[in-house]
């Protein structure tokens, strides 16, 4: 059975999990941490660092580092490093590659498939960009699922009682709230609201602006144009924010953050929890109305909520927790890790897909494993077509369950019109062009007729991955055209995805070769050290021969003769083993 990973690709941190038997389990990274910072650093030689190593390197060269790239998924945003533009998909793929490599090292097997989570309020373009990032990283992306739904699955895995969950997900870059009904293993999403540009990064920025102002007032120095200083200040602000979840005041210290005629100047500023709460109060309040709207859209009142799950690191802030209590008059659950529950739920979803062949996937959707949870998804945005006078004809309403299908009839607006184009939009505005354009559906060769006579049936089919297929059919001729909707404005072409995938594979191959070479160097260093310690002062008959082999080994190493290095390494290792066991 092919193993499928569950991945939470986060704005600030990312997590990967798998099913160990019947239990979802977090996979630690190569330094033993359960979460990996979503930071990418491009080195001068073209290689890439991800995670803690990237964070350390970024402190010296912030111009070569990228963080919070998730906020730009599905947009035209580019990062220029060494005159090369890097897309959000490409940068995100580096993070996914790191998670893939860590999982493969931990599990001792290839991990080629993944379920990747996204915010519930992500648009079609953002979801497709995430899928592209997974493909560039070398994954077969089996499913894109919503983060709140994944968290609910993780929470409800061993709970049999029926309940209504509110998942309040405030991460580094996005905010989601989902109302989910859990009944006998069925997770039905009742409503979704959110904001794709609200999160912990915005809280950090408020702290940074406060520290900048205080430092300028005290020292007369404006740090805002110094990128290295700003990176260090941002790191310090984030750390202080995290600390203030457990203490009421902390000291922000950034040594030698600026240089003056009198020498280096250190930023030292006390920051209290009260000050932090004042700085971010309006941002936290921006989550209140979407939460109330989600409850109302589900046809419920706050009293109907059984349990509240907090997801995302920003929900550890006491002011955020107090706001949630105020909304629903209920204490949030404390037995769910806000950092890990999304990846754990994705791993559960992955375990449902793992035993299925392609035919079963196509016909069964989510209801494929009677022993696993059944998920009933919602689309958070309406889907429709642009009509005459820029009107918006909605076919699939917001908060509709999917997979789903909807149809409507349209006609011509001019006499003897031979073609009709239907621009496809995503959004809630009555004016079509005010929504997000996704794609164009066009049907040609309509028989000439007076306006209003032709009957064109438009069908929208939304599959389990929330990918839309649109069809237009002329009911007079039965001619039919279809398009699988792709958010075309900022989407990478198949050729671009293929090129980036090849480049990523080449980069991984180079990194593996470098790692192999480094491992060999470490092995040689260790063996040489042991041999010198054992044989240099020994009068054993073997010592002279061993010292000659050691000399030959170092010569082969200097000449980069790998075959000779391996030969001498084996000889020296055998001699050490014999000497240390006195078995010769």
């Amino acid at each position: 059975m092919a193993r499928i990973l569950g991945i939470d690709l986060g704005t600030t941190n990312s997590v990967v999990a798998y099913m160990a038997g019947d239990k979802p389990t977090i996979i630690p990274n190569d330094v033993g941490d359960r979460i990996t910072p979503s930071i990418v650093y491009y080195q001068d030689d073209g290689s890439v660092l991800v995670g803690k190593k990237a964070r350390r390197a970024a402190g010296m060269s912030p111009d070569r580092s990228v963080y919070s790239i998730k906020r730009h998924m599905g947009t035209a945003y580019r990062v220029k490093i060494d005159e090369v533009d890097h897309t959000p998909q490409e940068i995100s793929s580096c993070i996914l590659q790191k998670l893939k490599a860590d999982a493969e090292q931990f599990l001792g097997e290839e991990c080629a498939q993944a379920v990747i989570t996204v915010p519930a309020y992500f648009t079609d373009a953002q979801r497709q960009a995430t899928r592209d990032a997974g493909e560039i990283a070398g994954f077969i992306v089996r499913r894109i699922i919503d983060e709140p739904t994944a968290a609910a699955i993780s929470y409800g895995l061993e709970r049999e009682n029926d309940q209504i969950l509110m998942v309040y997900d405030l991460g580094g870059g996005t905010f989601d709230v989902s109302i989910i009904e859990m009944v006998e293993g069925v997770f039905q999403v009742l409503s979704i609201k959110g904001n794709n540009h609200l999160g912990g990064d915005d809280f950090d920025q408020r702290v940074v602006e406060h520290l900048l102002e205080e430092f300028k007032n005290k020292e007369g120095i404006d740090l805002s144009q110094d990128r290295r200083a700003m990176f260090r200040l941002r790191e310090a602000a984030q750390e202080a924010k995290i600390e203030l979840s457990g203490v009421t005041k902390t000291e922000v210290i950034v040594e030698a953050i600026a240089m003056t005629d009198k020498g280096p100047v250190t930023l030292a500023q006390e920051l209290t929890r009260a000050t932090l709460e004042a700085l971010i109060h309006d941002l936290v309040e921006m989550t209140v109305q979407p939460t109330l709207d989600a409850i109302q859209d589900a046809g419920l009142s706050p009293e109907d909520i059984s349990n509240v799950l907090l997801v995302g690191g920003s929900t550890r802030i006491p002011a955020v927790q107090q706001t949630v209590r105020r909304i629903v008059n209920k204490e949030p659950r404390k037995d769910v890790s806000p950092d890990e529950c999304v990846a754990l739920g994705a791993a559960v979803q992955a375990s449902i897909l793992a035993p299925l062949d392609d035919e079963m996937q196509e016909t069964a959707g989510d209801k494929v494993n009677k022993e696993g949870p059944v998920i009933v998804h919602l689309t958070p945005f309406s889907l429709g077509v642009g009509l005459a006078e820029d009107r918006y004809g909605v076919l699939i309403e917001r908060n509709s369950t999917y997979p789903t299908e909807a149809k409507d009839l349209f006609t011509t607006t001019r006499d003897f019109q031979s073609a009709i184009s239907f621009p496809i939009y995503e959004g809630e505005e009555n004016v079509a062009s005010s929504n997000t354009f996704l794609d164009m559906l066009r049907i040609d060769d309509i028989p000439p007729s007076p306006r209003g006579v032709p009957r064109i049936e438009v069908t929208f089919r939304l599959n389990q991955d929330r990918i839309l297929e649109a069809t237009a059919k002329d009911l007079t001729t039965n001619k039919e055209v279809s398009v699988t909707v792709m958010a075309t404005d900022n989407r990478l072409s198949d050729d671009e995805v293929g090129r980036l995938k090849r480049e990523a594979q080449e980069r991984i191959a180079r990194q593996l070769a470098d790692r192999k070479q480094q491992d060999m160097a470490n092995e040689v260093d260790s063996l040489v050290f042991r041999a010198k310690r054992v044989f240099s002062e020994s009068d054993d008959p073997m010592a002279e021969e061993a010292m000659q082999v050691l000399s030959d080994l170092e010569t082969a190493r200097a000449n980069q003769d790998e075959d000779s290095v391996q030969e001498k390494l084996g000889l020296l290792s055998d001699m050490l083993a014999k000497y240390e066991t006195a078995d010769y």
Side-chain angles (χ1 to χ4, degrees):
M1 181 187 301
R3 192 186 298 278
I4 307 176
L5 301 176
I7 295 178
D8 174 11
L9 179 62
T11 305
T12 307
N13 297 297
S14 295
V15 188
V16 58
Y18 78 114
M19 290 298 287
D22 59 355
K23 183 178 180 181
T25 304
I26 299 297
I27 297 175
N29 59 27
D30 59 350
V31 295
D33 294 336
R34 294 169 69 86
I35 62 175
T36 298
S38 300
I39 301 177
V40 176
Y41 181 87
Y42 287 86
Q43 300 191 94
D44 293 336
D45 62 1
S47 59
V48 174
L49 300 176
V50 177
K52 277 190 172 180
K53 293 178 182 178
R55 173 173 284 162
R56 287 195 296 268
M60 296 301 296
S61 302
D63 290 350
R64 309 189 70 85
S65 66
V66 188
Y67 56 87
S68 299
I69 194 62
K70 182 175 178 177
R71 302 192 88 165
H72 301 288
M73 292 296 277
T75 72
Y77 180 81
R78 299 291 185 269
V79 176
K80 186 181 289 293
I81 298 175
D82 293 335
E83 301 305 314
V84 177
D85 285 338
H86 299 277
T87 66
Q89 295 96 316
E90 178 188 356
I91 296 165
S92 296
S93 76
C94 294
I95 301 169
L96 291 169
Q97 279 183 332
K98 163 69 171 169
L99 300 177
K100 185 175 187 289
D102 287 340
E104 291 175 340
Q105 182 177 349
F106 178 81
L107 296 171
E109 62 184 69
E110 183 182 7
C111 300
Q113 302 182 67
V115 169
I116 304 176
T117 65
V118 295
Y121 224 58
F122 252 24
T123 64
D124 180 78
Q126 291 169 309
R127 288 168 183 268
Q128 290 181 20
T130 303
R131 179 177 286 276
D132 287 344
E135 291 180 5
I136 294 168
F139 280 119
I140 298 171
V141 181
R142 291 290 297 273
R143 189 65 54 86
I144 298 289
I145 68 169
D146 295 344
E147 291 165 2
T149 305
I153 293 172
S154 173
Y155 162 79
L157 188 61
E158 297 179 352
R159 293 172 172 84
E160 297 181 355
N161 56 313
D162 299 344
Q163 52 190 293
I164 294 176
L165 305 175
M166 184 180 90
V167 183
Y168 180 101
D169 184 352
L170 184 60
T174 60
F175 168 67
D176 281 322
V177 59
S178 295
I179 310 300
I180 300 174
E181 184 177 33
M182 191 176 82
V183 180
E184 296 181 353
V186 176
F187 293 80
Q188 177 162 1
V189 183
L190 303 179
S191 64
I192 299 170
K193 293 293 285 187
N195 185 335
N196 285 338
H197 295 282
L198 175 65
D201 283 358
D202 303 292
F203 299 169
D204 296 342
Q205 184 59 31
R206 291 290 177 87
V207 177
V208 167
E209 292 169 358
H210 171 74
L211 295 174
L212 280 173
E213 183 177 358
E214 292 293 311
F215 187 75
K216 186 176 182 179
N217 291 339
K218 181 180 179 181
E219 303 290 346
I221 301 173
D222 183 4
L223 299 173
S224 62
Q225 302 306 309
D226 185 335
R227 295 198 63 174
R228 183 177 297 180
M230 288 298 292
F231 179 85
R232 296 176 65 199
L233 195 58
R234 179 184 175 277
E235 291 285 293
Q238 185 181 80
E239 184 177 340
K241 178 194 69 177
I242 293 170
E243 289 179 3
L244 289 173
S245 292
V247 299
T248 56
K249 67 178 180 180
T250 188
E251 189 81 9
V252 181
I253 299 176
V254 186
E255 295 182 352
I257 196 170
M259 184 64 68
T260 67
D261 294 340
K262 298 179 181 179
V265 180
T266 293
L267 182 149
Q269 177 69 40
E270 182 181 271
L271 186 67
T272 66
R273 182 185 292 176
T275 300
L276 173 65
E277 291 177 351
L279 292 171
I280 67 174
H281 173 75
D282 62 314
L283 297 176
V284 177
E285 285 297 304
M286 287 172 64
T287 70
V288 174
Q289 194 57 51
T291 303
L292 292 172
D293 289 345
I295 295 172
Q296 182 177 359
D297 287 349
L300 304 171
S301 66
E303 292 75 23
D304 296 319
I305 303 298
S306 308
N307 281 293
V308 178
L309 308 186
L310 298 181
V311 179
S314 297
T315 60
R316 287 193 169 92
I317 298 173
V320 172
Q321 296 180 4
Q322 291 167 8
T323 299
V324 174
R325 290 190 200 98
R326 171 162 54 90
I327 296 171
V328 295
N329 194 28
K330 195 172 272 78
E331 190 70 25
R333 302 286 308 202
K334 300 293 187 182
D335 56 347
V336 177
S337 168
D339 298 314
E340 299 179 356
C341 61
V342 171
L344 292 172
V348 176
Q349 173 71 65
S351 72
I352 299 170
L353 297 174
L356 306 176
D357 60 25
D358 292 340
E359 182 179 353
M360 290 178 68
Q361 290 175 48
E362 292 174 2
T363 58
D366 277 319
K367 300 182 181 181
V368 292
N369 187 339
K370 294 180 180 179
E371 297 180 356
V374 176
I375 307 166
V376 181
H377 301 281
L378 287 189
T379 175
F381 304 103
S382 297
L383 294 162
V385 295
L387 304 174
E389 299 177 352
D390 209 11
R391 292 176 294 116
Y392 186 34
V394 174
L395 275 82
I396 296 178
E397 298 280 354
R398 177 174 68 89
N399 282 341
S400 296
T401 62
Y402 65 90
T404 189
E405 179 176 301
K407 299 180 179 182
D408 205 349
L409 284 175
F410 299 94
T411 189
T412 53
T413 57
R414 301 190 307 274
D415 291 335
F416 310 115
Q417 191 171 331
S418 61
I420 302 180
S421 294
F422 296 96
I424 301 171
Y425 292 101
E426 176 182 65
E428 314 308 319
E429 301 296 330
N430 291 326
V431 177
S433 59
S434 297
N435 295 295
T436 302
F437 173 75
L438 297 180
D439 215 326
M440 182 67 73
L441 177 65
R442 177 183 173 89
I443 185 166
D444 295 300
D445 300 325
I446 299 172
S449 304
R451 64 180 179 177
V453 172
R455 293 187 303 156
I456 308 300
E457 181 182 70
V458 174
T459 303
F460 277 11
R461 297 182 184 90
L462 201 62
N463 71 12
Q464 70 268 21
D465 283 330
R466 222 179 89 187
I467 302 298
L468 178 65
E469 181 183 84
T471 300
K473 181 178 181 180
D474 181 353
L475 297 184
T476 302
T477 64
N478 286 326
K479 179 180 179 179
E480 184 174 291
V481 294
S482 296
V483 60
T484 298
V485 174
M486 300 291 182
T488 55
D489 284 353
N490 301 303
R491 191 169 195 271
L492 299 179
S493 68
D494 291 342
D495 288 343
E496 287 176 301
V497 171
R499 175 182 61 81
L500 291 171
K501 186 175 181 178
R502 289 191 298 273
E503 291 176 358
Q505 290 170 341
E506 292 169 0
R507 184 171 61 246
I508 288 291
R510 289 195 302 270
Q511 290 174 340
L512 288 175
D514 291 343
R515 182 183 298 176
K516 182 179 179 180
Q517 188 174 13
Q518 185 61 51
D519 289 344
M520 181 183 292
N522 290 338
E523 184 179 356
V524 172
D525 288 341
S526 176
L527 200 64
V528 167
F529 175 79
R530 285 174 56 204
K532 286 182 177 179
R533 178 174 55 83
V534 170
F535 293 121
S536 61
E537 298 180 0
S538 173
D539 56 2
D540 190 279
M542 187 188 292
E544 184 176 351
E545 181 185 356
M547 292 302 290
Q548 182 58 51
V549 172
L550 193 153
S551 176
D552 293 343
L553 171 62
E554 292 185 317
T555 300
R557 186 183 183 187
N559 294 333
Q560 297 183 348
D561 185 347
E562 290 190 15
D563 291 339
S564 183
V565 166
Q566 290 294 340
E567 179 189 352
K568 304 305 179 186
L569 202 61
L571 285 173
L572 194 60
S573 180
D574 290 343
M575 296 173 79
L576 273 170
K578 288 180 180 180
Y579 182 85
E580 291 173 344
T581 59
D583 184 19
Y584 59 92

